[in-house]
Structures are given as structure tokens and as C-alpha cells.
Amino acid sequence: MNRKAIALFSGGLDSTFAVLMMQKQNIDVLAITFLTDFGCEIGDSSSCSKDPRPAAARFGFDLKLCHLGQKFVEIVKKPRHGHGRNMNPCIDCRILMLREAGAFMEMIGADFVITGEVLGQRPMSQQRHTLNLIERESGLAGFVVRPLSARLLPATVPEARGIIDRESLLAMSGRTRKPQMALARELGLTDYPSPAGGCLLTDPIYSRRLRDLLDATPNPDPTDLGLLRLGRHFRPSGTCKIIVGRNETENNALEKMQRPGDVLLQVEDAGSPLVLLTGLDAGKHVDLGASLCARYSDLKHRAEVLVSILGGAGYELVRSMPADEDIIERYRIQ
């Protein structure tokens, strides 16, 4: 009878190694890539995940994409085990992912879960005591195999039962990537993704924006969260935010994310950011938005700039003085 494992799979090198090591022991693997609204997206270079589909196709294992949705939002807002240096709830994140993997394990009758974690690689979630804590609270104590560091950790249930050969597993530890590079060469892996950009929740600027959002909007929707990654952010009131695009890509994204009641601004006949005013009283802050739009346009040195209003009601054009540094510092989300 073929044994089965569920893999937490980011698409990166470590999780790929974990899957290949199980395949080498004739274990059928179902890989799960978890997605969130905080940067774990397979098509984004700033993501903590890479596109997992090429590896799944190349090495012949099944893959499932699973969005954690509101479950993940809630642990970001109030993690039981606290945040890291910024808004990263690393321990609670791993517990949630393992719980979800455990549910899939039970659903398909798999024998255990594997991850690409390396002992000591991450300071918050991959220390020995936190690995033990995460296993216990996920309900999977003894059933999480970490093939890259297994020989440095206590034997798991599948190892003790002879389902997998412990001696064929590895003893990697620490933050160096040299053992992984050597293993890649040994396995003939020459085309593999570079390490992922990391979770956005560890970024201090993104985290400040997120704290501001949660203070103003305790129950943000996916659009609110998506906007955190775009532009320069200003807060004129508790119910309005102004976002200034920094390039054409961001301008296009802001335009697509406009919602009913939002206002879009752009300087007439010049290189200009797109400025989005969003929130319940967005229309009350058009003058400030227009001054910021003028300030970041190619006409910022003029005394007065003509700004077009692309959404909202009551205006079509407004003349505005470019915002000075005092205004920028007063309203910018620090």
C-alpha cells in the first residue's frame, strides 16, 4: 500500500527538497501552497511563495492551492503568540497552516505532514522549542516530518513505525544556504527559484500601514489590504485615506481598485501620479488630494496646477497649489 504525505509547499528550494526526499522513499505527496492577502501570492516577486506549479509539473506530484482568507486576517490582527518585530505572527501562522494541512491529511487518509523547515533558519518559528510548540498546538505532534533537519530532531511517528527511513533524512541547521546549494548540485537541480522575497508582514513600512488600517478599519476587506502595497499613503481622517501612485504600474492598479464613493485625481496634460481617495468621507478631502497630486507630478514647481477629478461627484477640475513638506509630513503614514 502506498503511503501518503501532505507537504507544505512554498515552491522554493527547501520545500522542493522535502518533497523529492519523500518521493525517493516511494511516498505519494500532495503539496499544498497556502495563499494570503499579505503577500503570499504565487505571481508576485515580493511574495513569500514562488509559483509552485512548475516544480509540481516537473517532479510529478499533485498540488493544491488553498487561500487562508479571513482565518489568516484574524491571526494577524490578534495572534495568540504575538507578533515578531513587525506585524508578522510567525508562530500562529505555522500553527494555522499545519492545522489546515492536518485537515487535508485526515480527508485523504494521508499518514503525515512534511515541511521544508530547517532548524534554526528563522529566528521566531524555527527554533527547537517553537517547533515543538507549533506541533502541539496544531494537533499534529509526532506527525510533522522535517526531512532537511530530521536527524537533529526527535524521531516522529512515521519514522518510528518504519514508514520512512530516518537514516535517509538530513541534519541541516542554521541560516547558511550552502548545504542546500550542494544538495541541488547533487540532485542535478540547476534551474530553481531564488529565495523568496519574504513575508510582507516582516516589512516595517508595510506593517505601519497595516496598523494604521486596522486602527481605522478593524475589519478590512481584500481591497483594503491590497491597497497597502501600492503608492505613498496619507491619512487625513479616520475614515479617509489618500494613496499616491509612484509609477505607471501602481497608477493602473489604483484605477482598477477604485470602489463606489472613491475619488481619483490626476494632473492635466503632464506626467502625473494617479491619486486615490478612499473611505467614507473621501469627497471631503479632494483639496488635499489635489495638492498631493500636484506635488508628485512633473508640474510640482508651479505655483498652481490644474487637477482633474476622475471619480466622485461635485467637481470636474480643481486648481491646486502643490503640497509643501509640512503638509506631507502632517498627513503621511509614518
Side-chain angles (χ1 to χ4, degrees):
M1 180 179 66
N2 284 352
R3 298 293 190 169
K4 299 177 183 178
I6 301 292
L8 269 59
F9 190 69
S10 70
L13 197 55
D14 291 352
S15 56
T16 300
F17 285 151
V19 171
L20 294 179
M21 292 169 69
M22 292 300 98
Q23 288 184 317
K24 194 173 181 179
Q25 297 201 33
N26 296 316
I27 304 294
D28 289 339
V29 177
L30 169 62
I32 301 177
T33 297
F34 289 108
L35 311 177
T36 77
D37 292 309
F38 299 95
C40 286
E41 299 172 8
I42 61 178
D44 190 337
S45 61
S46 67
S47 172
C48 57
S49 294
K50 296 293 184 182
D51 188 342
R53 292 168 293 191
R58 178 179 178 184
F59 298 113
F61 56 86
D62 293 331
L63 173 70
K64 184 177 182 65
L65 304 180
C66 178
H67 201 292
L68 292 171
Q70 191 63 29
K71 292 179 183 178
F72 195 82
V73 175
E74 292 304 317
I75 68 166
V76 170
K77 289 162 61 175
K78 193 173 181 180
R80 180 179 177 185
H81 297 284
H83 293 104
R85 185 173 298 178
N86 294 293
M87 287 293 284
N88 46 308
C90 297
I91 294 174
D92 294 82
C93 171
R94 297 305 290 183
I95 291 170
L96 175 60
M97 289 184 178
L98 283 174
R99 282 177 179 165
E100 295 294 310
F104 280 108
M105 183 179 83
E106 185 173 343
M107 186 186 306
I108 71 167
D111 299 279
F112 56 96
V113 173
I114 64 170
T115 80
E117 293 168 300
V118 173
L119 180 64
Q121 188 177 79
R122 296 186 184 274
M124 189 170 180
S125 63
Q126 293 182 7
Q127 302 302 311
R128 194 178 297 271
H129 66 284
T130 50
L131 292 176
N132 293 335
L133 168 68
I134 289 166
E135 275 193 42
R136 289 196 307 271
E137 296 212 2
S138 69
L140 290 174
F143 288 90
V144 180
V145 178
R146 300 174 174 92
L148 278 67
S149 295
R151 295 202 338 253
L152 298 176
L153 300 169
T156 60
V157 171
E159 293 169 74
R161 292 177 178 173
I163 297 173
I164 53 177
D165 176 20
R166 180 177 175 84
E167 294 307 309
S168 298
L169 306 180
L170 302 179
M172 291 184 184
S173 66
R175 306 190 70 174
T176 178
R177 301 291 295 173
K178 291 181 180 179
Q180 285 91 327
M181 300 299 104
L183 182 58
R185 289 192 296 269
E186 180 182 329
L187 295 174
L189 295 178
T190 57
D191 182 21
Y192 52 82
S194 58
C199 176
L200 281 175
L201 295 168
T202 65
D203 180 82
I205 295 175
Y206 181 90
S207 294
R208 287 195 291 271
R209 293 178 177 185
L210 177 56
R211 290 190 190 99
D212 167 81
L213 174 63
L214 294 176
D215 286 342
T217 309
N219 296 301
D221 63 25
T223 299
D224 293 322
L225 297 172
L227 287 169
L228 294 176
R229 308 172 67 177
L230 301 173
R232 302 174 176 91
H233 287 232
F234 301 85
R235 175 67 71 181
S237 75
T239 53
C240 176
K241 184 160 62 173
I242 300 173
I243 304 172
V244 180
R246 292 172 292 195
N247 51 51
E248 184 178 1
T249 299
E250 290 192 343
N251 288 348
N252 292 336
L254 289 172
E255 185 174 16
K256 291 177 182 177
M257 298 176 81
Q258 182 186 18
R259 293 170 288 190
D262 290 350
V263 179
L264 285 173
L265 305 173
Q266 195 166 38
V267 170
E268 291 279 288
D269 302 322
S272 169
L274 199 67
V275 173
L276 175 70
L277 287 78
T278 184
L280 294 177
D281 62 346
K284 296 180 180 180
H285 300 282
V286 169
D287 288 344
L288 175 60
S291 70
L292 291 168
C293 187
R295 166 63 178 78
Y296 289 104
S297 78
D298 289 349
L299 304 182
K300 62 184 177 182
H301 298 300
R302 292 192 179 180
E304 191 174 70
V305 175
L306 192 63
V307 179
S308 62
I309 301 172
L310 308 176
Y315 296 95
E316 292 183 358
L317 294 172
V318 62
R319 295 185 180 276
S320 181
M321 295 175 55
D324 59 25
E325 289 301 317
D326 287 342
I327 289 177
I328 290 172
E329 290 305 313
R330 185 188 312 166
Y331 295 108
R332 183 163 54 191
I333 297 173
Q334 300 292 341

